C-alpha cells in the first residue's frame, strides 16, 4: 500500500521533467529528396559562434516556444506575431560574458501586415550561455 501511494505521488512530478517539443521532421521519402552540397556556398553564408547560437536558441525558446499557438479567434496579425520568423534577431556581448539577444517585430516578415504598425512586440534578453539560463528579460 505504501509503495502504491509513493508511486502515485512521484509519477505526476516526473511529468514536469519531460523534454520540450522537438521540431517536426519531414517524412523519410521527402527527406530522401534533399541533396546536401559538398560545401556550403560562400554567397549568403552566415556563420555564428557556438556561444551566439546557444544564446539565440535559449532566448527564442522563451520568447516564442516551439509549438506555441495563437488563441482561438486570433486575428491574422496575432497569428503572424506567434511565428518565429516574424521577428528579426540582434545580438551583442554584455558585461561578465553575458549575451544580449533582441527580438524586433518586422512587418516585412509577414507580407500581409507590412503596412500595419505594431509597437513593443519584441523583447531583449540577457543570457548566461555557460549556465544555460536567462538572467533577465526587458519587454
Amino acid at each position: 500500500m505504501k509503495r502504491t501511494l509513493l508511486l502515485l505521488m512521484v509519477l505526476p512530478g516526473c511529468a514536469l521533467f519531460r523534454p520540450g517539443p522537438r521540431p517536426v521532421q519531414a517524412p523519410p521519402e521527402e527527406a530522401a529528396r534533399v541533396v546536401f552540397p559538398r560545401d556550403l556556398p560562400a554567397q549568403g553564408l552566415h556563420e555564428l559562434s557556438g556561444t551566439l547560437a546557444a544564446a539565440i536558441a535559449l532566448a527564442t525558446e522563451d520568447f516564442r516556444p516551439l509549438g506555441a499557438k495563437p488563441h482561438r479567434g486570433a486575428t491574422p496579425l496575432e497569428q503572424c506575431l506567434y511565428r518565429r520568423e516574424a521577428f528579426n534577431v540582434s545580438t551583442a556581448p554584455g558585461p561578465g560574458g553575458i549575451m544580449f539577444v533582441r527580438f524586433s517585430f518586422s512587418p516585412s516578415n509577414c507580407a500581409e501586415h507590412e503596412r500595419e504598425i505594431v509597437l513593443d512586440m519584441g523583447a531583449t534578453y540577457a543570457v548566461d550561455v555557460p549556465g544555460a539560463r536567462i538572467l533577465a528579460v526587458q519587454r
Side-chain angles (χ1 to χ4, degrees), residues 9 15 20-21 24 37-38 43 45 49 51 57 71-72 75 99-100 107 115 121-122 131 133-135:
M9 290 171 55
V24 174
R38 181 177 170 105
Q43 185 176 1
L45 182 66
S49 70
T51 300
H71 60 85
R72 183 175 294 191
T75 67
M99 292 295 298
F100 291 112
R115 292 195 173 97
M121 289 311 303
R133 62 195 183 124
I134 295 165
L135 298 175

Side-chain angles (χ1 to χ4, degrees), residues 20-125:
R22 303 275 312 189
V24 174
Q25 300 260 338
E29 53 277 358
E30 185 178 351
R33 292 192 300 265
V34 175
V35 178
F36 286 94
R38 181 177 170 105
D39 294 311
L40 294 178
Q43 185 176 1
L45 182 66
H46 302 281
E47 188 170 319
L48 303 177
S49 70
T51 300
L52 187 55
I56 292 170
L58 286 166
T60 299
E61 194 53 36
D62 185 75
F63 183 65
R64 290 292 180 269
L66 197 58
K69 302 215 182 305
H71 60 85
R72 183 175 294 191
T75 67
L77 177 59
E78 289 171 325
Q79 291 174 15
C80 174
L81 291 171
Y82 269 82
R83 297 194 327 242
R84 289 178 169 190
E85 67 270 20
F87 294 84
N88 292 337
V89 181
S90 304
T91 61
I98 68 172
M99 292 295 298
F100 291 112
V101 179
R102 176 170 290 155
F103 298 96
S104 304
F105 177 64
S106 176
S108 64
N109 292 346
C110 296
E112 66 274 17
H113 303 289
E114 202 165 337
R115 292 195 173 97
E116 294 187 46
I117 296 173
V118 179
L119 302 174
D120 295 331
M121 289 311 303
T124 301
Y125 285 76

